[in-house]
PDB file of all heavy atoms in Angstrom:
ATOM      1  N   ASN A 306      16.724  33.595  58.035  1.00  0.00           N
ATOM      2  CA  ASN A 306      18.047  32.964  57.986  1.00  0.00           C
ATOM      3  C   ASN A 306      18.410  32.336  59.328  1.00  0.00           C
ATOM      4  O   ASN A 306      19.003  31.243  59.384  1.00  0.00           O
ATOM      5  CB  ASN A 306      19.104  33.997  57.601  1.00  0.00           C
ATOM      6  CG  ASN A 306      18.928  34.475  56.167  1.00  0.00           C
ATOM      7  OD1 ASN A 306      18.331  33.768  55.331  1.00  0.00           O
ATOM      8  ND2 ASN A 306      19.412  35.665  55.866  1.00  0.00           N
ATOM      9  N   CYS A 309      16.376  29.119  59.851  1.00  0.00           N
ATOM     10  CA  CYS A 309      16.879  28.050  58.980  1.00  0.00           C
ATOM     11  C   CYS A 309      18.169  27.464  59.523  1.00  0.00           C
ATOM     12  O   CYS A 309      18.424  26.254  59.382  1.00  0.00           O
ATOM     13  CB  CYS A 309      17.098  28.600  57.574  1.00  0.00           C
ATOM     14  SG  CYS A 309      15.561  28.911  56.660  1.00  0.00           S
ATOM     15  N   LEU A 312      17.142  25.224  62.620  1.00  0.00           N
ATOM     16  CA  LEU A 312      16.221  24.105  62.398  1.00  0.00           C
ATOM     17  C   LEU A 312      16.939  22.793  62.696  1.00  0.00           C
ATOM     18  O   LEU A 312      18.020  22.510  62.163  1.00  0.00           O
ATOM     19  CB  LEU A 312      15.732  24.110  60.944  1.00  0.00           C
ATOM     20  CG  LEU A 312      14.599  23.129  60.622  1.00  0.00           C
ATOM     21  CD1 LEU A 312      13.328  23.496  61.396  1.00  0.00           C
ATOM     22  CD2 LEU A 312      14.300  23.127  59.123  1.00  0.00           C
ATOM     23  N   GLN A 315      19.886  18.968  61.176  1.00  0.00           N
ATOM     24  CA  GLN A 315      20.856  19.329  60.162  1.00  0.00           C
ATOM     25  C   GLN A 315      22.240  18.905  60.659  1.00  0.00           C
ATOM     26  O   GLN A 315      22.402  18.374  61.744  1.00  0.00           O
ATOM     27  CB  GLN A 315      20.825  20.841  59.893  1.00  0.00           C
ATOM     28  CG  GLN A 315      19.489  21.351  59.367  1.00  0.00           C
ATOM     29  CD  GLN A 315      19.570  22.831  59.009  1.00  0.00           C
ATOM     30  OE1 GLN A 315      20.135  23.199  57.990  1.00  0.00           O
ATOM     31  NE2 GLN A 315      19.019  23.669  59.878  1.00  0.00           N
ATOM     32  N   PHE A 344       5.385  31.904  54.277  1.00  0.00           N
ATOM     33  CA  PHE A 344       4.522  31.567  53.149  1.00  0.00           C
ATOM     34  C   PHE A 344       3.158  32.265  53.223  1.00  0.00           C
ATOM     35  O   PHE A 344       2.363  32.142  52.283  1.00  0.00           O
ATOM     36  CB  PHE A 344       4.291  30.047  53.108  1.00  0.00           C
ATOM     37  CG  PHE A 344       5.547  29.260  52.880  1.00  0.00           C
ATOM     38  CD1 PHE A 344       6.321  28.838  53.958  1.00  0.00           C
ATOM     39  CD2 PHE A 344       5.980  28.961  51.601  1.00  0.00           C
ATOM     40  CE1 PHE A 344       7.480  28.111  53.756  1.00  0.00           C
ATOM     41  CE2 PHE A 344       7.133  28.236  51.392  1.00  0.00           C
ATOM     42  CZ  PHE A 344       7.898  27.817  52.475  1.00  0.00           C
ATOM     43  N   ILE A 357       9.472  35.272  47.722  1.00  0.00           N
ATOM     44  CA  ILE A 357       9.757  34.044  46.969  1.00  0.00           C
ATOM     45  C   ILE A 357      11.160  33.545  47.260  1.00  0.00           C
ATOM     46  O   ILE A 357      11.390  32.340  47.433  1.00  0.00           O
ATOM     47  CB  ILE A 357       9.554  34.310  45.464  1.00  0.00           C
ATOM     48  CG1 ILE A 357       8.069  34.508  45.161  1.00  0.00           C
ATOM     49  CG2 ILE A 357      10.110  33.160  44.625  1.00  0.00           C
ATOM     50  CD1 ILE A 357       7.794  34.912  43.720  1.00  0.00           C
ATOM     51  N   VAL A 358      12.124  34.463  47.379  1.00  0.00           N
ATOM     52  CA  VAL A 358      13.500  34.063  47.683  1.00  0.00           C
ATOM     53  C   VAL A 358      13.574  33.407  49.048  1.00  0.00           C
ATOM     54  O   VAL A 358      14.255  32.383  49.248  1.00  0.00           O
ATOM     55  CB  VAL A 358      14.428  35.288  47.600  1.00  0.00           C
ATOM     56  CG1 VAL A 358      15.825  34.934  48.107  1.00  0.00           C
ATOM     57  CG2 VAL A 358      14.482  35.820  46.182  1.00  0.00           C
ATOM     58  N   LEU A 359      12.862  33.996  50.040  1.00  0.00           N
ATOM     59  CA  LEU A 359      12.864  33.410  51.372  1.00  0.00           C
ATOM     60  C   LEU A 359      12.199  32.034  51.384  1.00  0.00           C
ATOM     61  O   LEU A 359      12.655  31.115  52.077  1.00  0.00           O
ATOM     62  CB  LEU A 359      12.138  34.356  52.337  1.00  0.00           C
ATOM     63  CG  LEU A 359      12.794  35.731  52.554  1.00  0.00           C
ATOM     64  CD1 LEU A 359      11.962  36.575  53.503  1.00  0.00           C
ATOM     65  CD2 LEU A 359      14.211  35.575  53.095  1.00  0.00           C
ATOM     66  N   CYS A 360      11.139  31.885  50.614  1.00  0.00           N
ATOM     67  CA  CYS A 360      10.474  30.575  50.542  1.00  0.00           C
ATOM     68  C   CYS A 360      11.414  29.519  49.960  1.00  0.00           C
ATOM     69  O   CYS A 360      11.441  28.370  50.431  1.00  0.00           O
ATOM     70  CB  CYS A 360       9.205  30.683  49.711  1.00  0.00           C
ATOM     71  SG  CYS A 360       7.886  31.659  50.462  1.00  0.00           S
ATOM     72  N   HIS A 361      12.166  29.895  48.936  1.00  0.00           N
ATOM     73  CA  HIS A 361      13.130  28.968  48.355  1.00  0.00           C
ATOM     74  C   HIS A 361      14.153  28.521  49.395  1.00  0.00           C
ATOM     75  O   HIS A 361      14.519  27.327  49.460  1.00  0.00           O
ATOM     76  CB  HIS A 361      13.842  29.646  47.178  1.00  0.00           C
ATOM     77  CG  HIS A 361      13.097  29.554  45.885  1.00  0.00           C
ATOM     78  ND1 HIS A 361      13.011  28.399  45.153  1.00  0.00           N
ATOM     79  CD2 HIS A 361      12.399  30.493  45.193  1.00  0.00           C
ATOM     80  CE1 HIS A 361      12.303  28.618  44.052  1.00  0.00           C
ATOM     81  NE2 HIS A 361      11.912  29.895  44.062  1.00  0.00           N
ATOM     82  N   ARG A 362      14.614  29.486  50.233  1.00  0.00           N
ATOM     83  CA  ARG A 362      15.622  29.150  51.252  1.00  0.00           C
ATOM     84  C   ARG A 362      15.050  28.151  52.251  1.00  0.00           C
ATOM     85  O   ARG A 362      15.718  27.179  52.637  1.00  0.00           O
ATOM     86  CB  ARG A 362      16.075  30.436  51.950  1.00  0.00           C
ATOM     87  CG  ARG A 362      16.904  30.194  53.200  1.00  0.00           C
ATOM     88  CD  ARG A 362      18.254  29.622  52.886  1.00  0.00           C
ATOM     89  NE  ARG A 362      18.957  29.128  54.048  1.00  0.00           N
ATOM     90  CZ  ARG A 362      19.670  29.903  54.892  1.00  0.00           C
ATOM     91  NH1 ARG A 362      19.729  31.219  54.705  1.00  0.00           N
ATOM     92  NH2 ARG A 362      20.304  29.373  55.901  1.00  0.00           N
ATOM     93  N   VAL A 363      13.835  28.345  52.650  1.00  0.00           N
ATOM     94  CA  VAL A 363      13.221  27.445  53.630  1.00  0.00           C
ATOM     95  C   VAL A 363      13.050  26.045  53.032  1.00  0.00           C
ATOM     96  O   VAL A 363      13.374  25.036  53.681  1.00  0.00           O
ATOM     97  CB  VAL A 363      11.870  28.012  54.091  1.00  0.00           C
ATOM     98  CG1 VAL A 363      11.150  26.994  54.985  1.00  0.00           C
ATOM     99  CG2 VAL A 363      12.071  29.309  54.850  1.00  0.00           C
ATOM    100  N   LEU A 364      12.550  25.961  51.832  1.00  0.00           N
ATOM    101  CA  LEU A 364      12.318  24.653  51.201  1.00  0.00           C
ATOM    102  C   LEU A 364      13.638  23.921  50.967  1.00  0.00           C
ATOM    103  O   LEU A 364      13.721  22.698  51.129  1.00  0.00           O
ATOM    104  CB  LEU A 364      11.564  24.844  49.891  1.00  0.00           C
ATOM    105  CG  LEU A 364      10.129  25.377  50.029  1.00  0.00           C
ATOM    106  CD1 LEU A 364       9.529  25.656  48.656  1.00  0.00           C
ATOM    107  CD2 LEU A 364       9.256  24.390  50.794  1.00  0.00           C
ATOM    108  N   ARG A 365      14.667  24.681  50.603  1.00  0.00           N
ATOM    109  CA  ARG A 365      15.971  24.059  50.385  1.00  0.00           C
ATOM    110  C   ARG A 365      16.523  23.500  51.692  1.00  0.00           C
ATOM    111  O   ARG A 365      17.121  22.416  51.720  1.00  0.00           O
ATOM    112  CB  ARG A 365      16.921  25.083  49.770  1.00  0.00           C
ATOM    113  CG  ARG A 365      18.270  24.500  49.384  1.00  0.00           C
ATOM    114  CD  ARG A 365      19.059  25.469  48.514  1.00  0.00           C
ATOM    115  NE  ARG A 365      19.236  26.756  49.128  1.00  0.00           N
ATOM    116  CZ  ARG A 365      18.630  27.892  48.725  1.00  0.00           C
ATOM    117  NH1 ARG A 365      17.798  27.851  47.701  1.00  0.00           N
ATOM    118  NH2 ARG A 365      18.848  29.050  49.337  1.00  0.00           N
ATOM    119  N   THR A 366      16.316  24.215  52.762  1.00  0.00           N
ATOM    120  CA  THR A 366      16.780  23.747  54.064  1.00  0.00           C
ATOM    121  C   THR A 366      16.047  22.476  54.485  1.00  0.00           C
ATOM    122  O   THR A 366      16.654  21.532  55.019  1.00  0.00           O
ATOM    123  CB  THR A 366      16.572  24.842  55.112  1.00  0.00           C
ATOM    124  OG1 THR A 366      17.275  26.024  54.719  1.00  0.00           O
ATOM    125  CG2 THR A 366      17.066  24.386  56.476  1.00  0.00           C
ATOM    126  N   ILE A 367      14.759  22.441  54.256  1.00  0.00           N
ATOM    127  CA  ILE A 367      13.967  21.262  54.644  1.00  0.00           C
ATOM    128  C   ILE A 367      14.413  20.031  53.854  1.00  0.00           C
ATOM    129  O   ILE A 367      14.488  18.923  54.415  1.00  0.00           O
ATOM    130  CB  ILE A 367      12.471  21.556  54.418  1.00  0.00           C
ATOM    131  CG1 ILE A 367      11.979  22.588  55.441  1.00  0.00           C
ATOM    132  CG2 ILE A 367      11.636  20.288  54.505  1.00  0.00           C
ATOM    133  CD1 ILE A 367      10.560  23.024  55.227  1.00  0.00           C
ATOM    134  N   GLU A 368      14.739  20.185  52.601  1.00  0.00           N
ATOM    135  CA  GLU A 368      15.132  19.039  51.785  1.00  0.00           C
ATOM    136  C   GLU A 368      16.519  18.518  52.160  1.00  0.00           C
ATOM    137  O   GLU A 368      16.869  17.391  51.780  1.00  0.00           O
ATOM    138  CB  GLU A 368      15.109  19.428  50.307  1.00  0.00           C
ATOM    139  CG  GLU A 368      13.706  19.677  49.768  1.00  0.00           C
ATOM    140  CD  GLU A 368      13.717  20.008  48.294  1.00  0.00           C
ATOM    141  OE1 GLU A 368      14.613  19.500  47.578  1.00  0.00           O
ATOM    142  OE2 GLU A 368      12.848  20.768  47.837  1.00  0.00           O
ATOM    143  N   GLN A 369      17.309  19.324  52.923  1.00  0.00           N
ATOM    144  CA  GLN A 369      18.653  18.896  53.314  1.00  0.00           C
ATOM    145  C   GLN A 369      18.689  18.296  54.709  1.00  0.00           C
ATOM    146  O   GLN A 369      19.761  17.987  55.233  1.00  0.00           O
ATOM    147  CB  GLN A 369      19.607  20.090  53.249  1.00  0.00           C
ATOM    148  CG  GLN A 369      19.814  20.604  51.831  1.00  0.00           C
ATOM    149  CD  GLN A 369      20.645  21.880  51.790  1.00  0.00           C
ATOM    150  OE1 GLN A 369      20.953  22.462  52.850  1.00  0.00           O
ATOM    151  NE2 GLN A 369      21.004  22.307  50.589  1.00  0.00           N
ATOM    152  N   LEU A 370      17.551  18.092  55.308  1.00  0.00           N
ATOM    153  CA  LEU A 370      17.506  17.533  56.660  1.00  0.00           C
ATOM    154  C   LEU A 370      17.889  16.059  56.634  1.00  0.00           C
ATOM    155  O   LEU A 370      17.766  15.380  55.611  1.00  0.00           O
ATOM    156  CB  LEU A 370      16.104  17.705  57.252  1.00  0.00           C
ATOM    157  CG  LEU A 370      15.616  19.147  57.451  1.00  0.00           C
ATOM    158  CD1 LEU A 370      14.184  19.155  57.971  1.00  0.00           C
ATOM    159  CD2 LEU A 370      16.526  19.912  58.389  1.00  0.00           C
ATOM    160  N   TYR A 372      16.750  12.784  57.344  1.00  0.00           N
ATOM    161  CA  TYR A 372      15.461  12.154  57.589  1.00  0.00           C
ATOM    162  C   TYR A 372      15.575  10.868  58.404  1.00  0.00           C
ATOM    163  O   TYR A 372      14.584  10.391  58.968  1.00  0.00           O
ATOM    164  CB  TYR A 372      14.774  11.838  56.259  1.00  0.00           C
ATOM    165  CG  TYR A 372      14.503  13.064  55.404  1.00  0.00           C
ATOM    166  CD1 TYR A 372      14.877  13.104  54.067  1.00  0.00           C
ATOM    167  CD2 TYR A 372      13.864  14.180  55.944  1.00  0.00           C
ATOM    168  CE1 TYR A 372      14.631  14.209  53.283  1.00  0.00           C
ATOM    169  CE2 TYR A 372      13.620  15.298  55.170  1.00  0.00           C
ATOM    170  CZ  TYR A 372      14.003  15.313  53.839  1.00  0.00           C
ATOM    171  OH  TYR A 372      13.754  16.415  53.069  1.00  0.00           O
ATOM    172  N   ARG A 411       8.650  25.167  42.686  1.00  0.00           N
ATOM    173  CA  ARG A 411       9.528  24.742  43.782  1.00  0.00           C
ATOM    174  C   ARG A 411       8.746  24.114  44.923  1.00  0.00           C
ATOM    175  O   ARG A 411       9.135  23.069  45.467  1.00  0.00           O
ATOM    176  CB  ARG A 411      10.330  25.952  44.286  1.00  0.00           C
ATOM    177  CG  ARG A 411      11.310  25.598  45.396  1.00  0.00           C
ATOM    178  CD  ARG A 411      12.239  24.493  44.925  1.00  0.00           C
ATOM    179  NE  ARG A 411      13.064  23.979  45.961  1.00  0.00           N
ATOM    180  CZ  ARG A 411      14.347  24.324  46.134  1.00  0.00           C
ATOM    181  NH1 ARG A 411      14.909  25.186  45.307  1.00  0.00           N
ATOM    182  NH2 ARG A 411      15.054  23.813  47.111  1.00  0.00           N
ATOM    183  N   SER A 415       9.121  20.238  46.043  1.00  0.00           N
ATOM    184  CA  SER A 415       9.550  19.903  47.401  1.00  0.00           C
ATOM    185  C   SER A 415       8.540  18.995  48.076  1.00  0.00           C
ATOM    186  O   SER A 415       8.913  18.057  48.804  1.00  0.00           O
ATOM    187  CB  SER A 415       9.732  21.192  48.212  1.00  0.00           C
ATOM    188  OG  SER A 415      10.757  21.990  47.652  1.00  0.00           O
ATOM    189  N   ARG A 418       9.039  15.509  46.669  1.00  0.00           N
ATOM    190  CA  ARG A 418      10.315  14.907  47.060  1.00  0.00           C
ATOM    191  C   ARG A 418      10.306  14.481  48.522  1.00  0.00           C
ATOM    192  O   ARG A 418      10.737  13.366  48.865  1.00  0.00           O
ATOM    193  CB  ARG A 418      11.452  15.888  46.781  1.00  0.00           C
ATOM    194  CG  ARG A 418      11.863  15.985  45.318  1.00  0.00           C
ATOM    195  CD  ARG A 418      13.136  16.792  45.156  1.00  0.00           C
ATOM    196  NE  ARG A 418      12.907  18.207  45.403  1.00  0.00           N
ATOM    197  CZ  ARG A 418      12.544  19.102  44.470  1.00  0.00           C
ATOM    198  NH1 ARG A 418      12.346  18.692  43.225  1.00  0.00           N
ATOM    199  NH2 ARG A 418      12.364  20.370  44.775  1.00  0.00           N
TER     200      ARG A 418
END
Side-chain angles (χ1 to χ4, degrees):
N306 292 337
C309 287
L312 189 64
Q315 298 185 75
F344 297 90
I357 290 174
V358 172
L359 296 179
C360 292
H361 275 286
R362 169 69 192 278
V363 173
L364 294 174
R365 185 168 56 251
T366 302
I367 290 175
E368 291 182 31
Q369 294 174 352
L370 297 177
Y372 299 130
R411 182 56 188 259
S415 297
R418 283 190 289 271

